[in-house]
Amino acid sequence: MYNVPANFINEQQIWDILNTHKTADRVQVREVLAKSAEMKGLEMDEVAVLTGISDPELLGELFHTANQVKETIYGKRLVLFAPLYISNLCSNECLYCAFRATNKEIVRNALTQKQITREVEILINKGHKRILLVAGEAYPQQGFQYVLDSVRTIYSVKSDHGEIRRVNVNVAPLTTEEFKMLKAEGIGTYQIFQETYHRETYQKVHLGGKKRDYNWRVWSLHRAMEAGIDDVGIGVLFGLFDYRFEILAMMQHIRELENQFGVGPHTISVPRLEPATGSDLATHPPFPVSDIDFRKIVAILRLAVPYTGIIMSTRETAQMRRETFALGVSQISAGSRTNPGGYEHEENQDDPSGQFSLGDHRPLDEVIRDVAKMGYIPSFCTACYRLGRTGQDFMDLAKPGDIKLHCAPNALSSFKEYLQNYASPETAEVGNRLIKETIAEMDGLAKQRAQKLVKRVEAGRDDVYC
């Protein structure tokens, strides 16, 4: 089944819809925005209408609506995580990536389990609770067992005030049986990007290796979900092809998963092409995405799939990240390194062995202080994954708004835990003031839960949640 063409990505349908909506009609745009405010999602033709917006007034209305939807569903929460690159070995030839097999300008490295333990210790001692494990698409002699061992190692590391409570994974597409093995290790989300859904472009930028097989990659989330992994993450690398096409193709992929499994992706990532060592294509994107179009992409996705998390990485500058919080972003990485061993040797921020250039080099504590000053609650919560509120169960709570009764209190307690155990005095002052102000504005059961959980943390308890 999974070597046949993925007919659910229908390129002709995408072009037909885009050609029908080349120019944004003001009446149509406002009708779509009015519908999107109901938080029931959008169809492909409605998404296409929004991609055609260029008028500053309509852009303002788009951004305002996205902000309303984001705050209604997520409130002021921002989930934080750190990527952990365990290896930059790779057998693929992807023209935009520093890890590509023939690139001689980087030093290859696959961390030992002892080195992974050291990286995790460093991340824990900074305050991180979530890790995204990332590896190039080739492994040391152990093969795929290397990934399984690495997940196990990450979960095994303990510190005075904590441990990593959730490991998400971004590795090469697997067989269904391998996905079952990955699930058995207790991972959270399995994440994979198609990079580009445009088949001709896909072939042009993937010159060798198994990744050249478009169909094997695009079917990977079907295999993951068949294996029982009900939290999956998708994304494209914006800049490889027309972003309007990519958004609609992503919508086709989302609807396919919803039709087949009853639930779509848990997260969408929105990386833009950034310079990478040894890649001329990464420095000169074929379809560069302007800052205004990038903000538009985030806003459109928030309205199109309102209950799906949107992830913003440290590829982007601090200022761009700030601007997208209000448009739909609900998860961010912080204090990131994209080279294996990068946390232990973080003094070398310009190590050319990273997968791509970072736009935001700030340490976790500084990011948290900045986020809190903006009025957002940095959240390290992992409760839903440990209590089984994933996949369809999560959506059943999210769509009627009931998930807020858990997420808001848990965000505050996990933030308080960070402030008490890891924060600088300046960050603690900003954060504690925000927690007090936030609880004062809450009411009902959510307020009662938040007060109870925060008091438990103040009394010396870690890892409290509801």
Side-chain angles (χ1 to χ4, degrees), residues 37-84:
E38 299 172 2
M39 297 179 293
K40 295 179 181 179
L42 299 175
E43 300 302 324
M44 285 181 59
D45 59 333
E46 295 166 329
V47 172
V49 168
L50 299 184
T51 66
I53 297 175
S54 58
D55 176 78
E57 182 180 353
L58 293 177
L59 275 174
E61 293 177 25
L62 168 65
F63 294 160
H64 176 72
T65 307
N67 177 253
Q68 284 185 314
V69 169
K70 193 277 177 96
E71 298 219 349
T72 299
I73 295 173
Y74 292 92
K76 287 288 189 179
R77 291 179 295 110
L78 274 176
V79 171
L80 286 97
F81 71 93
L84 174 59

Side-chain angles (χ1 to χ4, degrees), residues 272-421:
R272 268 195 299 186
L273 265 176
E274 295 293 341
T277 302
S279 171
D280 182 67
L281 184 142
T283 305
H284 304 95
F287 289 81
V289 177
S290 68
D291 286 352
I292 191 67
D293 282 338
F294 189 59
R295 290 193 289 270
K296 189 165 75 170
I297 288 168
V298 173
I300 291 171
L301 289 174
R302 173 50 59 225
L303 300 182
V305 280
Y307 296 95
T308 301
I310 297 179
I311 298 176
M312 179 65 64
S313 78
T314 46
R315 286 174 178 262
E316 299 297 331
T317 64
Q319 183 57 36
M320 177 55 72
R321 278 152 59 93
R322 292 185 192 103
E323 291 176 8
T324 56
F325 296 165
L327 301 177
V329 167
S330 56
Q331 295 188 27
I332 61 170
S333 52
S336 304
R337 298 293 178 267
T338 66
N339 55 304
Y343 295 107
E344 184 170 12
H345 305 288
E346 65 179 357
E347 71 281 354
N348 188 9
Q349 293 188 2
D350 297 320
D351 186 337
S353 298
Q355 188 178 26
F356 51 82
S357 298
L358 298 178
D360 186 351
H361 292 274
R362 297 173 299 166
L364 176 63
D365 189 76
E366 186 177 341
V367 172
I368 287 177
R369 185 165 65 249
D370 185 42
V371 165
K373 284 181 177 179
M374 294 176 67
Y376 292 97
I377 301 293
S379 174
F380 295 88
C381 177
T382 58
C384 284
Y385 305 97
R386 289 185 287 167
L387 293 174
R389 295 192 295 253
T390 59
Q392 188 61 53
D393 290 338
F394 175 83
M395 288 300 176
D396 289 343
L397 286 169
K399 290 182 178 180
D402 295 340
I403 196 68
K404 277 188 168 182
L405 296 175
H406 304 280
C407 290
N410 290 338
L412 289 166
S413 66
S414 68
F415 184 30
K416 180 65 179 179
E417 184 180 343
Y418 172 83
L419 297 175
Q420 199 152 286
N421 296 334

Side-chain angles (χ1 to χ4, degrees), residues 92 96 111 129 307 388:
N92 296 320
Y96 49 81
L111 300 182
K129 304 299 180 191
Y307 296 95

Side-chain angles (χ1 to χ4, degrees), residues 119-168:
E119 292 283 281
V120 175
E121 288 173 343
I122 292 168
L123 289 171
I124 290 174
N125 289 330
K126 290 178 184 294
H128 278 292
K129 304 299 180 191
R130 292 172 175 239
I131 277 179
L132 172 64
L133 180 154
V134 187
E137 296 195 6
Y139 307 122
Q141 189 174 2
Q142 308 96 303
F144 176 60
Q145 186 63 42
Y146 174 68
V147 174
L148 301 177
D149 291 344
S150 299
V151 173
R152 204 170 300 162
T153 294
I154 294 169
Y155 277 133
S156 73
V157 181
K158 309 296 179 185
S159 180
D160 290 343
H161 284 291
E163 63 287 312
I164 297 302
R165 297 169 184 163
R166 184 183 181 206
V167 180
N168 298 332

Side-chain angles (χ1 to χ4, degrees), residues 107-273:
V107 177
R108 302 290 173 172
N109 186 21
L111 300 182
T112 65
Q113 298 306 312
K114 183 177 180 180
Q115 289 173 318
I116 291 172
T117 296
R118 178 59 185 148
E119 292 283 281
V120 175
E121 288 173 343
I122 292 168
L123 289 171
I124 290 174
N125 289 330
K126 290 178 184 294
H128 278 292
K129 304 299 180 191
R130 292 172 175 239
I131 277 179
L132 172 64
L133 180 154
V134 187
E137 296 195 6
Y139 307 122
Q141 189 174 2
Q142 308 96 303
F144 176 60
Q145 186 63 42
Y146 174 68
V147 174
L148 301 177
D149 291 344
S150 299
V151 173
R152 204 170 300 162
T153 294
I154 294 169
Y155 277 133
S156 73
V157 181
K158 309 296 179 185
S159 180
D160 290 343
H161 284 291
E163 63 287 312
I164 297 302
R165 297 169 184 163
R166 184 183 181 206
V167 180
N168 298 332
V169 174
N170 184 326
V171 297
L174 306 172
T175 65
T176 304
E177 288 306 310
E178 287 170 332
F179 275 124
K180 289 179 180 178
M181 296 165 67
L182 193 59
K183 177 179 171 57
E185 295 300 330
I187 70 159
T189 301
Y190 173 72
Q191 181 189 87
I192 192 168
F193 305 156
Q194 189 65 19
E195 315 295 10
T196 173
Y197 286 99
H198 187 244
R199 290 177 175 84
E200 182 181 349
T201 299
Y202 190 94
Q203 294 304 313
K204 286 181 178 178
V205 299
H206 300 107
L207 301 186
K210 194 163 186 177
K211 192 170 179 179
R212 185 167 171 79
D213 188 339
Y214 180 103
N215 293 317
W216 176 251
R217 194 169 186 88
V218 83
W219 282 111
S220 59
L221 294 185
H222 286 69
R223 298 192 298 274
M225 296 182 86
E226 285 183 354
I229 300 175
D230 56 2
D231 266 17
V232 297
I234 65 174
V236 296
L237 185 53
F238 287 103
L240 290 177
F241 193 61
D242 187 332
Y243 77 87
R244 301 172 306 152
F245 176 96
E246 302 287 19
I247 290 175
L248 293 191
M250 194 185 303
M251 291 299 299
Q252 289 181 335
H253 198 173
I254 291 169
R255 298 306 180 219
E256 163 69 10
L257 295 176
E258 290 174 341
N259 290 336
Q260 293 296 320
F261 302 100
V263 63
H266 185 69
T267 59
I268 296 174
S269 296
V270 288
R272 268 195 299 186
L273 265 176

